[in-house]
Amino acid sequence: MASSTGEVQDNLTVQFMDSAAVNDNRSKATGIPLSRKLCYAIGGMPYQMTLNAKGFFMQIFLLDVVKMGASYASIILFLGRAWDAVTDPMIGYAVSKSSSTKFGKLIPWIVFSMPFGVVSYIMLWYTPQDTMSPGYSFCWYFVWSCLFDTFMSCYHVPYSSLNMFLGGNDRDRDSATGYRMGMEVFATLAGATIQGQIVGVYHAKRSQVCRMQQNDTGVPSVNATASLNDTTEILQNTRKAYVIAALVIGFIYFICCLVVFLGVKEQLAPLSKLDRLNLPYLTGMKMVVCHIPYVKLVFGFLFASLAFQMAQGNFALFCTHAADMGGYFQHLVIILLTAATFSTPLWQTLLVKLGKKTTIFIGLSSYIPALILISLLRNSLPLFIIMSMLAGTSLAALFLLPWSMLPDVVDDFKVKNPSCRDLEPLFYSCFVFFNKFGGGLAVGISTLVLHFAGYKPGACKHNSQVIFSLRMLFAPVPICLLLISMVMLYFYPITEKRRQEIQTALKKAVAEDPLKGEELSL
């Protein structure tokens, strides 16, 4: 009986080593099946749909629909994202400390957090009263924003960590990441399309009413009253439209979670047991944040994310108030995200041929001319469309490359610290933390700058300081942040040659691991 068990474990060890030596298109048995890649990829849609709906529309929703003061809005946008960012490492540690169940260790977190995330997202876009006091309005949106971000972290941290437990080798993981990022970019397109088409028509009507009010001097009182009634009706319909959009996105959230639950099964990763983490929280965090390749990748990603999210968060306001394109911004968002969706396979091909570090430099640098030209254009829809397509292509690189580089960093940590197991959720949660922290800084600083510039919520026309601030926040500041990011990534040490060395060392560490038989038999 012992001999039979030993033979089974030896056979499993051989199968594991074979799966690490071949890629997905050479063997379906040892790689990650296409169905599992697709189901895993679909699971990333809720995070990107909700994140980008908030990124593109939350600022203009609070300022021009809720008519909240810019100072209150900046606090919600910044502190809400700060709270979201702070909870990620704690949730990552909680996931690491949790025990495995018959459904796995990560998937139960994804499933059980979903209903609470859906409800809180819908309530975030609901306006309980036509008129609310500033304090009540602030508390309402701040509480629901924090609740939604917490439940979304409970979904996204284990989901992103699941990439390390799909099976296969590093090339299989890169392929799964490519599918995931392609689907997430599509999700940004779907989310912006749903949100933009449902609410955009009312923003366009409001812009038309504003133009009529500005063009009509000396308007008779009866027309002024009619115009005021039209504005009130448009505002009420806009608020209803935001709730309808939230309901649609919430339903998609539910479907995507169901697909992950039914289509993905967790697999053991090299030097990982999917067991409870035995390290204290601070010890684990110290090991993660002291890993030099991880630090350089994280800070490069932070500044790039800050640049993209600052331009993203101000895009609607910039088009509406600085570029006279308020009736078109929802269509420009769709064009931008469509370009991002179709360019994702291009970046996946380039990272295989040129390496990840070279490819991310190409992708990020292409965003700079797009920002410059968009900020200088005015009433030029064809050029806006072309530059939006270029910006979308660069956005796809930001989606794909950092997340494709992160597993290499985790593998490098495993090779250097073979006795420290099951820290993957901490690595991924800290990565998400810096992305969200960058987003919180972007929207918080932007809204605060607009407050000091004299932004008036709901106003049709703004002073020159507001227009100048919007132009600075949309292009020069993001470009500076992007250049800092590229300097950080220049010193990122894991080149393509180093990545291959890591994989060789990882295979050797697995072969010498005294617990490999125990892990493979689980």
Side-chain angles (χ1 to χ4, degrees), residues 24-201:
D24 181 49
N25 58 9
R26 289 182 57 191
S27 176
K28 294 182 180 179
T30 55
I32 303 176
L34 178 61
S35 60
R36 191 186 303 163
K37 291 180 183 179
L38 292 175
C39 291
Y40 169 71
I42 290 172
M45 291 180 64
Y47 175 72
Q48 290 301 334
M49 290 183 73
T50 56
L51 178 68
N52 282 274
K54 289 178 64 180
F56 279 114
F57 293 95
M58 195 67 193
Q59 190 176 38
I60 197 170
F61 171 75
L62 293 177
L63 293 175
D64 287 359
V65 178
V66 179
K67 293 190 175 182
M68 182 182 294
S71 58
Y72 282 114
S74 68
I75 294 173
I76 289 176
L77 294 172
F78 176 70
L79 290 185
R81 294 298 291 271
W83 165 261
D84 183 22
V86 168
T87 57
D88 281 323
M90 292 189 290
I91 290 173
Y93 183 71
V95 172
S96 298
K97 293 288 288 184
S98 61
S99 301
S100 183
T101 68
K102 66 177 181 179
F103 298 109
K105 177 179 179 178
L106 305 174
I107 291 178
W109 280 84
I110 296 172
V111 173
F112 290 119
S113 64
M114 178 269 298
F116 302 101
V118 171
V119 172
S120 56
Y121 181 75
I122 294 171
M123 299 305 293
L124 179 61
W125 299 98
Y126 174 68
T127 306
Q129 299 177 8
D130 289 338
T131 57
M132 295 186 289
S133 66
Y136 179 77
S137 179
F138 169 81
C139 292
W140 176 269
Y141 291 103
F142 180 71
V143 168
W144 284 114
S145 177
C146 290
L147 286 174
F148 168 71
D149 289 335
T150 301
F151 294 128
M152 178 51 73
S153 294
C154 292
Y155 177 96
H156 189 250
V157 168
Y159 168 79
S160 58
S161 304
L162 192 58
N163 176 260
M164 299 295 296
F165 302 98
L166 294 175
N169 57 24
D170 60 311
R171 289 298 185 187
D172 296 320
R173 289 200 314 252
D174 287 346
S175 176
T177 301
Y179 279 98
R180 170 193 164 188
M181 293 308 158
M183 194 63 70
E184 288 194 4
V185 174
F186 172 74
T188 65
L189 171 61
T193 301
I194 293 169
Q195 190 95 352
Q197 294 304 304
I198 293 177
V199 308
V201 60

Side-chain angles (χ1 to χ4, degrees), residues 30 41 91 127 130 146 221 239 272 291 295 367 377 382 400 434 503:
T30 55
I91 290 173
T127 306
D130 289 338
C146 290
S221 59
R239 290 173 175 172
S272 295
H291 189 55
V295 172
Y367 196 53
L377 297 174
L400 175 62
F434 281 101
Q503 293 306 311

Side-chain angles (χ1 to χ4, degrees), residues 328-405:
Y328 300 102
F329 83 85
Q330 69 269 20
H331 304 299
L332 293 172
V333 169
I334 293 172
I335 291 169
L336 185 151
L337 295 176
T338 301
T341 302
F342 285 104
S343 60
T344 301
L346 169 66
W347 297 119
Q348 178 68 25
T349 302
L350 287 178
L351 75 84
V352 173
K353 293 184 176 180
L354 303 178
K356 300 175 184 179
K357 187 173 178 179
T358 301
T359 304
I360 196 170
F361 271 94
I362 298 173
L364 295 182
S365 60
S366 64
Y367 196 53
I368 295 175
L371 286 179
I372 293 174
L373 290 175
I374 290 176
S375 65
L376 296 176
L377 297 174
R378 187 180 177 89
N379 287 326
S380 180
L381 183 59
L383 289 177
F384 254 80
I385 291 174
I386 294 172
M387 290 302 104
S388 296
M389 293 173 64
L390 180 60
T393 302
S394 185
L395 178 64
L398 181 70
F399 267 91
L400 175 62
L401 270 302
W403 287 102
S404 182
M405 297 160 77

Side-chain angles (χ1 to χ4, degrees), residues 265-515:
K265 184 178 180 181
E266 296 173 30
Q267 309 290 320
L268 288 173
L271 301 180
S272 295
K273 298 193 300 180
L274 276 174
D275 202 355
R276 297 184 64 177
L277 180 66
N278 295 321
L279 290 175
Y281 175 72
L282 292 180
T283 303
M285 287 298 301
K286 182 179 179 180
M287 297 188 70
V288 168
V289 300
C290 289
H291 189 55
I292 299 301
Y294 183 72
V295 172
K296 293 180 178 179
L297 177 62
V298 159
F299 277 97
F301 181 52
L302 169 64
F303 283 98
S305 178
L306 185 58
F308 275 79
Q309 293 190 64
M310 183 164 287
Q312 178 195 54
N314 290 285
F315 187 62
L317 292 174
F318 175 81
C319 289
T320 302
H321 302 300
D324 293 334
M325 303 289 287
Y328 300 102
F329 83 85
Q330 69 269 20
H331 304 299
L332 293 172
V333 169
I334 293 172
I335 291 169
L336 185 151
L337 295 176
T338 301
T341 302
F342 285 104
S343 60
T344 301
L346 169 66
W347 297 119
Q348 178 68 25
T349 302
L350 287 178
L351 75 84
V352 173
K353 293 184 176 180
L354 303 178
K356 300 175 184 179
K357 187 173 178 179
T358 301
T359 304
I360 196 170
F361 271 94
I362 298 173
L364 295 182
S365 60
S366 64
Y367 196 53
I368 295 175
L371 286 179
I372 293 174
L373 290 175
I374 290 176
S375 65
L376 296 176
L377 297 174
R378 187 180 177 89
N379 287 326
S380 180
L381 183 59
L383 289 177
F384 254 80
I385 291 174
I386 294 172
M387 290 302 104
S388 296
M389 293 173 64
L390 180 60
T393 302
S394 185
L395 178 64
L398 181 70
F399 267 91
L400 175 62
L401 270 302
W403 287 102
S404 182
M405 297 160 77
L406 181 57
D408 298 334
V409 173
V410 177
D411 285 343
D412 182 64
F413 177 85
K414 287 182 178 181
V415 169
K416 294 176 179 177
N417 303 275
S419 61
C420 298
R421 302 166 185 263
D422 299 304
L423 287 176
E424 289 87 352
L426 280 182
F427 274 98
Y428 278 82
S429 63
C430 290
F431 205 65
V432 175
F433 162 81
F434 281 101
N435 181 36
K436 292 179 178 179
F437 182 70
L441 281 177
V443 295
I445 292 173
S446 298
T447 313
L448 199 59
V449 168
L450 293 178
H451 168 69
F452 287 114
Y455 186 93
K456 297 179 180 179
C460 291
K461 188 175 181 179
H462 295 277
N463 60 45
S464 58
Q465 288 86 354
V466 171
I467 304 302
F468 176 77
S469 297
L470 284 172
R471 292 189 180 279
M472 292 296 294
L473 291 169
F474 183 74
V477 175
I479 289 173
C480 291
L481 293 169
L482 207 56
L483 293 174
I484 296 173
S485 169
M486 295 171 71
V487 171
M488 295 283 185
L489 292 172
Y490 176 80
F491 294 100
Y492 174 69
I494 302 181
T495 60
E496 190 64 18
K497 179 181 178 181
R498 173 58 185 160
R499 189 191 65 79
Q500 294 174 1
E501 293 173 351
I502 291 171
Q503 293 306 311
T504 301
L506 187 63
K507 293 174 188 176
K508 182 179 178 180
V510 170
E512 297 174 352
D513 181 18
L515 297 178

